[in-house]
Amino acid sequence: HEQRSLNTLLSTLLSKISEARSNQKPAKKFGFSSKSKLVATQQADHEKEEIEPANNSVAAKEETASGEVFTDLNGQVIFVRTAKAVFIRRCSNCTVYALPTDGSLFISDCDGCTVYCASHQLRVKSSVRLSLYTWCTSRPVIESCSEMLFGGYDAWQGLLESEVSHAEGLLTHAEWATKVGHFKDLDWAQKSYTQVDDFHWLKQSQSPNWALIPKDQQNVSMVKYPTP
């Protein structure tokens, strides 16, 4: 029920954004302010040290018929199985490794987290200072957020060395997204993180609430998804 309500609300908001865009002039060439570049640099410097998940990884706080729920965690490593819906709420300074899925990932009230995810939908609300390495089959959406940084899902290099029962022999992120996440439009998904919708910024200019992480400053992670 919660997922259906969220999807209905998001569909309504997306319709409003599309209507607003249709009345605007073509967008100018995308650019970033020096402030955004500084934020990206600081975040990348903060994340240079590799994470060892063995001693501080956690399972879902709650498992439902439709997905998993993680709440009120601090400084933990979160591994997310393929699920139709994943909810991450009130988490701080956590790192999230999510297997590809054709479902949705909802993040709310989080601070200072790094997230690697490939999903049909990514919705982030009331969060700050997140680094999101993502591929989506739709536009990622943020609402009431600030200092959000985006990069590609392929920054999680450890995925390619992971042993997952339903993903034997997959050698590239594209294969993982197609075979495990059932992505159909892979070309769009691979660039989706550059096309973020900000529900609180309908102006023609670039939203000040998110920026891209330069390739040479991305936090490339070699952490593997744990073997069951």
Side-chain angles (χ1 to χ4, degrees), residues 180-209:
V180 179
H182 305 293
F183 282 27
K184 297 189 180 347
D185 190 351
L186 191 60
D187 288 339
W188 160 255
Q190 290 175 320
K191 65 182 179 182
S192 59
Y193 68 92
T194 69
Q195 306 290 326
V196 179
D197 279 336
D198 184 349
F199 279 176
H200 283 183
W201 190 264
L202 301 181
K203 298 180 181 179
Q204 180 179 334
S205 57
Q206 163 66 21
S207 166
N209 298 316

Side-chain angles (χ1 to χ4, degrees), residues 3 60 62-70 80-87 104:
Q3 183 183 355
E62 176 185 351
E63 294 188 14
T64 67
S66 59
E68 297 188 337
V69 180
F70 299 86
V80 182
R81 64 182 175 86
T82 297
K84 283 298 182 183
V86 177
F87 299 88
S104 302

Side-chain angles (χ1 to χ4, degrees), residues 139-176:
R139 284 176 177 261
V141 171
I142 63 174
E143 180 182 359
S144 302
C145 296
S146 63
E147 299 182 60
M148 311 295 287
L149 301 175
F150 283 84
Y153 185 60
D154 52 357
W156 181 17
Q157 287 295 308
L159 175 68
L160 305 183
E161 303 296 326
S162 301
E163 297 181 4
V164 178
S165 60
H166 55 289
E168 295 88 347
L170 302 184
L171 302 177
T172 67
H173 289 84
E175 289 179 345
W176 276 84

